[in-house]
């Protein structure tokens, strides 16, 4: 690793990082902070996934929502925006696409970035998907849950599937979107970050490969009509604007995970934040130079039986 003096940009980035707060409580294993920087990243990720993975659609399973239908967005993430009705989160995008008689509920364990302004049929609540209100049983036509692979342990995934199955109306659908890790064969910087993340996920008990496991877990949980589709999305400027955006998204995630990484002393693989910044710079170059670097993203959807 080089030892040249830190640039102004890097000092500014470091100052921003120092103000970040990562969730810390007994049952919360989520690896990312909840703040304005993360809100900006989630907005970028929302439009990228919608474009590149979902062909511009909010809903992938075969369901048309009409008056009286209820939708639940689990782990909704950020919502606050200076723009009125920002279309940059899933639940607000959906609110623009369905009749206002469809009721949309969004839950998250971190409520501080819930929107202050939203359409009148959208309701935000502070709940964990592992423990939903008893009165929600058999209520929802659709449950959406996107990108919680840095949040739930195996037993929390199992509880979440039990809860989602319970709150779905008979015949209702659940859709998941999850990412994965990039192959360590890509290059030395990818291999190092891969080792750090593998150790971090293992330490927290999180499932980095949940996308592959979800179809089996859903079948065990009593769901039917299980559909899974994986796309390899290009990572890096070598692949044009979409590749560059996914690279920015992923390196921003790696940077934002430094709190829990240094809580574990860098797992003996990085000894200082300065060294970690050098690693991220190397990673950026490795991915931007490419070619042929991809991250698998998966859409899984499934139905609760009608009877
Ligand atoms: C990576 S963000 C994804 C946000 C949003 N789904 C999206 O795709 O833009 C993961 C979100 O899940 C939330 N989360 C983590 N654990 C949760 C839990 N047990 N129940 C509900 N939400 C949770 C986090 O607070 C965070 O807002």
């Amino acid at each position: 690793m080089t030892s040249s003096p830190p640039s102004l940009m890097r000092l500014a980035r470091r100052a921003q990082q120092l103000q970040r707060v990562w969730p810390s409580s007994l049952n919360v294993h989520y690896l990312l902070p909840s703040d304005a920087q993360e809100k900006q990243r989630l907005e970028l990720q929302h439009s990228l996934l919608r474009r590149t993975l979902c062909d511009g659609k909010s809903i992938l399973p075969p369901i048309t929502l009409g008056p009286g239908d209820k939708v639940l967005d689990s782990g909704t993430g950020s919502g606050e925006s200076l723009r009125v009705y920002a279309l940059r989160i899933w639940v607000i995008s959906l609110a623009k696409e369905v009749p206002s008689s469809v009721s949309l509920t969004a839950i998250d364990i971190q409520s501080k970035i819930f929107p202050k302004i939203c359409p009148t049929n959208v309701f935000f609540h502070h709940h964990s998907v592992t423990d939903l209100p008893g009165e929600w049983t058999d209520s929802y036509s659709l449950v959406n849950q996107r990108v919680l692979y840095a949040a739930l342990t195996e037993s929390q995934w199992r509880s979440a599937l039990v809860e989602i199955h319970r709150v779905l109306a008979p015949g209702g659908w659940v859709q998941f979107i999850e990412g994965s890790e990039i192959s360590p064969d890509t290059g030395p910087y990818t291999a190092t970050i891969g080792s750090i993340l593998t150790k971090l996920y293992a330490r927290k008990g999180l499932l980095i490969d949940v996308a592959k496991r979800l179809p089996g877990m859903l079948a065990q949980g009593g769901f039917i009509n299980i559909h899974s589709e994986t796309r390899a999305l290009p990572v890096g400027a070598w692949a044009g604007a979409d590749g560059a955006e996914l690279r920015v998204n992923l390196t921003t995630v790696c940077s934002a995970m430094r709190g829990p990484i240094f809580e574990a002393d860098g797992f003996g693989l990085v000894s200082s934040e300065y060294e970690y910044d050098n690693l991220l710079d190397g990673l950026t170059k490795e991915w931007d130079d490419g070619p042929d670097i991809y991250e698998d993203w998966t859409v899984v959807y499934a139905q609760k039986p009608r009877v």
Side-chain angles (χ1 to χ4, degrees), residues 23 27-34 38-39 41-47 49 73-78 88-91 107-111 113-114 125-132 144-153 156 160 177-178 253 297:
N27 285 323
V28 175
H29 305 272
Y30 186 48
L31 296 175
L32 292 167
S34 164
E38 175 62 1
K39 174 186 84 70
R41 184 194 72 76
L42 288 173
E43 291 184 356
L44 174 96
Q45 180 176 265
H46 168 68
S47 59
L49 290 178
D73 185 24
S74 162
T76 199
S78 88
R88 295 183 168 205
I89 66 167
W90 185 86
V91 75
I107 58 153
D108 203 290
I109 50 163
Q110 307 186 83
S111 55
I113 50 175
F114 281 171
H125 296 284
H126 185 244
H127 286 302
S128 169
V129 65
T130 57
D131 185 17
L132 298 173
N144 174 67
Q145 185 177 285
R146 194 175 64 180
V147 200
L148 265 73
Y149 72 119
L152 304 178
T153 63
Q156 288 174 329
I177 290 179
E178 291 296 345
V253 166
W297 279 85

Side-chain angles (χ1 to χ4, degrees), residues 4-287:
S4 52
S7 68
L8 276 178
M9 214 166 79
R10 219 193 245 194
L11 286 172
R13 205 198 300 163
R14 189 90 48 81
Q16 276 183 335
Q17 292 296 340
L18 286 174
Q19 294 164 10
R20 309 197 84 174
V21 180
W22 286 264
S24 64
S25 76
L26 205 56
N27 285 323
V28 175
H29 305 272
Y30 186 48
L31 296 175
L32 292 167
S34 164
D35 55 21
Q37 283 182 67
E38 175 62 1
K39 174 186 84 70
Q40 216 175 0
R41 184 194 72 76
L42 288 173
E43 291 184 356
L44 174 96
Q45 180 176 265
H46 168 68
S47 59
L48 181 66
L49 290 178
R50 193 181 161 86
R51 220 173 41 243
T52 57
L53 185 67
C54 304
D55 302 327
K57 295 184 212 152
S58 297
I59 300 175
L60 286 313
I63 177 173
T64 306
L65 298 170
D69 277 321
K70 291 171 78 176
V71 176
L72 177 64
D73 185 24
S74 162
T76 199
S78 88
E80 188 173 1
S81 172
L82 295 177
R83 290 169 298 276
V84 176
Y85 296 0
L87 291 178
R88 295 183 168 205
I89 66 167
W90 185 86
V91 75
I92 304 289
S93 291
L94 183 66
K96 288 282 170 187
E97 296 164 14
V98 297
S100 58
S101 51
V102 175
S103 161
L104 308 176
T105 301
I107 58 153
D108 203 290
I109 50 163
Q110 307 186 83
S111 55
K112 69 180 180 205
I113 50 175
F114 281 171
K116 293 187 176 56
I117 309 167
C118 65
T120 52
N121 57 331
V122 183
F123 308 95
F124 286 84
H125 296 284
H126 185 244
H127 286 302
S128 169
V129 65
T130 57
D131 185 17
L132 298 173
E135 64 273 20
W136 288 5
T137 299
D138 291 338
S139 298
Y140 291 92
S141 309
L142 174 70
V143 175
N144 174 67
Q145 185 177 285
R146 194 175 64 180
V147 200
L148 265 73
Y149 72 119
L152 304 178
T153 63
E154 180 157 7
S155 70
Q156 288 174 329
W157 272 104
R158 297 207 181 275
S159 304
L161 295 191
V162 167
E163 287 296 79
I164 289 171
H165 191 279
R166 176 175 67 78
V167 302
L168 275 173
W173 291 85
V174 60
Q175 73 171 17
F176 296 98
I177 290 179
E178 291 296 345
S180 65
E181 60 187 333
I182 295 185
S183 163
D185 301 338
T186 301
Y189 292 98
T190 313
T192 304
I193 201 78
S195 300
I196 293 171
L197 295 184
T198 301
K199 287 176 189 294
L200 177 62
Y201 272 67
R203 176 181 153 96
K204 297 271 183 180
L206 300 167
L207 301 186
I208 206 163
D209 60 345
V210 73
K212 285 190 201 130
R213 296 169 65 164
L214 266 172
M217 291 166 94
L218 284 161
Q220 278 176 14
F223 288 87
I224 58 169
N225 294 327
I226 300 163
H227 170 99
S228 173
E229 185 185 334
T230 298
R231 281 190 194 173
L233 302 185
V235 181
W238 64 272
D242 287 346
E245 255 186 50
L246 186 51
R247 194 276 293 156
V248 169
N249 184 43
L250 295 178
T251 49
T252 307
V253 166
C254 293
S255 182
M257 285 181 178
R258 72 181 64 217
I261 289 171
F262 284 100
E263 208 180 84
D265 296 326
F267 298 102
L269 292 164
V270 269
S271 56
S272 66
E273 294 216 23
Y274 178 67
E275 203 177 306
Y276 191 61
D277 279 331
N278 281 339
L279 170 61
L280 295 185
D281 287 348
L283 193 65
T284 297
K285 185 163 170 14
E286 191 162 281
W287 288 349

